[in-house]
PDB file of all heavy atoms in Angstrom:
ATOM      1  N   ARG A1587      48.565 -30.852 -41.818  1.00 94.00           N
ATOM      2  CA  ARG A1587      49.713 -31.664 -41.382  1.00 94.00           C
ATOM      3  C   ARG A1587      50.252 -31.263 -40.015  1.00 94.00           C
ATOM      4  O   ARG A1587      51.317 -31.706 -39.606  1.00 94.00           O
ATOM      5  CB  ARG A1587      50.825 -31.582 -42.433  1.00 94.00           C
ATOM      6  CG  ARG A1587      50.464 -32.306 -43.732  1.00 94.00           C
ATOM      7  CD  ARG A1587      51.634 -32.379 -44.659  1.00 94.00           C
ATOM      8  NE  ARG A1587      52.015 -31.049 -45.114  1.00 94.00           N
ATOM      9  CZ  ARG A1587      53.249 -30.713 -45.459  1.00 94.00           C
ATOM     10  NH1 ARG A1587      54.212 -31.598 -45.397  1.00 94.00           N
ATOM     11  NH2 ARG A1587      53.509 -29.485 -45.863  1.00 94.00           N
ATOM     12  N   MET A1588      49.556 -30.347 -39.357  1.00 95.00           N
ATOM     13  CA  MET A1588      50.041 -29.972 -38.027  1.00 95.00           C
ATOM     14  C   MET A1588      48.878 -29.956 -37.051  1.00 95.00           C
ATOM     15  O   MET A1588      47.712 -30.011 -37.444  1.00 95.00           O
ATOM     16  CB  MET A1588      50.743 -28.614 -38.079  1.00 95.00           C
ATOM     17  CG  MET A1588      49.856 -27.429 -38.341  1.00 95.00           C
ATOM     18  SD  MET A1588      49.416 -26.648 -36.789  1.00 95.00           S
ATOM     19  CE  MET A1588      47.985 -25.732 -37.305  1.00 95.00           C
ATOM     20  N   ALA A1589      49.202 -29.900 -35.767  1.00 94.00           N
ATOM     21  CA  ALA A1589      48.154 -29.780 -34.754  1.00 94.00           C
ATOM     22  C   ALA A1589      48.666 -28.906 -33.622  1.00 94.00           C
ATOM     23  O   ALA A1589      49.839 -28.970 -33.261  1.00 94.00           O
ATOM     24  CB  ALA A1589      47.766 -31.157 -34.219  1.00 94.00           C
ATOM     25  N   LEU A1590      47.777 -28.072 -33.114  1.00 94.00           N
ATOM     26  CA  LEU A1590      48.076 -27.284 -31.914  1.00 94.00           C
ATOM     27  C   LEU A1590      47.074 -27.708 -30.858  1.00 94.00           C
ATOM     28  O   LEU A1590      45.873 -27.589 -31.059  1.00 94.00           O
ATOM     29  CB  LEU A1590      47.937 -25.783 -32.213  1.00 94.00           C
ATOM     30  CG  LEU A1590      47.875 -24.823 -31.012  1.00 94.00           C
ATOM     31  CD1 LEU A1590      49.180 -24.841 -30.230  1.00 94.00           C
ATOM     32  CD2 LEU A1590      47.570 -23.407 -31.462  1.00 94.00           C
ATOM     33  N   ILE A1591      47.585 -28.232 -29.766  1.00 90.00           N
ATOM     34  CA  ILE A1591      46.688 -28.666 -28.693  1.00 90.00           C
ATOM     35  C   ILE A1591      46.895 -27.747 -27.505  1.00 90.00           C
ATOM     36  O   ILE A1591      47.996 -27.628 -26.983  1.00 90.00           O
ATOM     37  CB  ILE A1591      46.966 -30.128 -28.295  1.00 90.00           C
ATOM     38  CG1 ILE A1591      46.789 -31.037 -29.508  1.00 90.00           C
ATOM     39  CG2 ILE A1591      46.043 -30.553 -27.156  1.00 90.00           C
ATOM     40  CD1 ILE A1591      47.166 -32.475 -29.256  1.00 90.00           C
ATOM     41  N   MET A1592      45.824 -27.080 -27.108  1.00 85.00           N
ATOM     42  CA  MET A1592      45.925 -26.163 -25.985  1.00 85.00           C
ATOM     43  C   MET A1592      45.171 -26.744 -24.813  1.00 85.00           C
ATOM     44  O   MET A1592      43.980 -27.040 -24.914  1.00 85.00           O
ATOM     45  CB  MET A1592      45.361 -24.799 -26.385  1.00 85.00           C
ATOM     46  CG  MET A1592      46.206 -24.137 -27.461  1.00 85.00           C
ATOM     47  SD  MET A1592      45.597 -22.516 -27.958  1.00 85.00           S
ATOM     48  CE  MET A1592      44.446 -22.941 -29.239  1.00 85.00           C
ATOM     49  N   GLY A1593      45.863 -26.919 -23.700  1.00 74.00           N
ATOM     50  CA  GLY A1593      45.291 -27.591 -22.532  1.00 74.00           C
ATOM     51  C   GLY A1593      44.023 -26.962 -22.020  1.00 74.00           C
ATOM     52  O   GLY A1593      43.180 -27.623 -21.446  1.00 74.00           O
ATOM     53  N   GLN A1594      43.879 -25.653 -22.245  1.00 67.00           N
ATOM     54  CA  GLN A1594      42.710 -24.984 -21.680  1.00 67.00           C
ATOM     55  C   GLN A1594      41.686 -24.640 -22.742  1.00 67.00           C
ATOM     56  O   GLN A1594      40.810 -23.824 -22.527  1.00 67.00           O
ATOM     57  CB  GLN A1594      43.146 -23.708 -20.962  1.00 67.00           C
ATOM     58  CG  GLN A1594      43.915 -24.008 -19.690  1.00 67.00           C
ATOM     59  CD  GLN A1594      44.626 -22.792 -19.186  1.00 67.00           C
ATOM     60  OE1 GLN A1594      45.383 -22.156 -19.900  1.00 67.00           O
ATOM     61  NE2 GLN A1594      44.383 -22.469 -17.932  1.00 67.00           N
ATOM     62  N   ARG A1595      41.819 -25.243 -23.894  1.00 68.00           N
ATOM     63  CA  ARG A1595      40.940 -24.854 -24.998  1.00 68.00           C
ATOM     64  C   ARG A1595      40.261 -26.105 -25.544  1.00 68.00           C
ATOM     65  O   ARG A1595      40.891 -27.127 -25.762  1.00 68.00           O
ATOM     66  CB  ARG A1595      41.801 -24.205 -26.066  1.00 68.00           C
ATOM     67  CG  ARG A1595      41.086 -23.470 -27.135  1.00 68.00           C
ATOM     68  CD  ARG A1595      40.431 -22.165 -26.750  1.00 68.00           C
ATOM     69  NE  ARG A1595      41.321 -21.067 -26.530  1.00 68.00           N
ATOM     70  CZ  ARG A1595      41.144 -20.196 -25.535  1.00 68.00           C
ATOM     71  NH1 ARG A1595      40.170 -20.364 -24.698  1.00 68.00           N
ATOM     72  NH2 ARG A1595      41.970 -19.190 -25.391  1.00 68.00           N
ATOM     73  N   ASN A1596      38.974 -26.002 -25.751  1.00 73.00           N
ATOM     74  CA  ASN A1596      38.226 -27.147 -26.216  1.00 73.00           C
ATOM     75  C   ASN A1596      38.122 -27.165 -27.736  1.00 73.00           C
ATOM     76  O   ASN A1596      37.675 -26.207 -28.334  1.00 73.00           O
ATOM     77  CB  ASN A1596      36.821 -27.052 -25.626  1.00 73.00           C
ATOM     78  CG  ASN A1596      36.359 -28.374 -25.135  1.00 73.00           C
ATOM     79  OD1 ASN A1596      37.115 -29.080 -24.490  1.00 73.00           O
ATOM     80  ND2 ASN A1596      35.147 -28.729 -25.466  1.00 73.00           N
ATOM     81  N   GLN A1597      38.548 -28.232 -28.344  1.00 80.00           N
ATOM     82  CA  GLN A1597      38.429 -28.300 -29.789  1.00 80.00           C
ATOM     83  C   GLN A1597      37.321 -29.278 -30.201  1.00 80.00           C
ATOM     84  O   GLN A1597      36.817 -29.218 -31.292  1.00 80.00           O
ATOM     85  CB  GLN A1597      39.766 -28.714 -30.406  1.00 80.00           C
ATOM     86  CG  GLN A1597      40.908 -27.889 -29.837  1.00 80.00           C
ATOM     87  CD  GLN A1597      42.209 -28.008 -30.591  1.00 80.00           C
ATOM     88  OE1 GLN A1597      42.231 -28.283 -31.767  1.00 80.00           O
ATOM     89  NE2 GLN A1597      43.308 -27.773 -29.901  1.00 80.00           N
TER      90      GLN A1597
END
Side-chain angles (χ1 to χ4, degrees):
Chain A
R1587 290 188 294 151
M1588 69 97 199
L1590 165 65
I1591 301 174
M1592 294 181 272
Q1594 290 166 306
R1595 193 71 74 220
N1596 223 44
Q1597 312 193 27

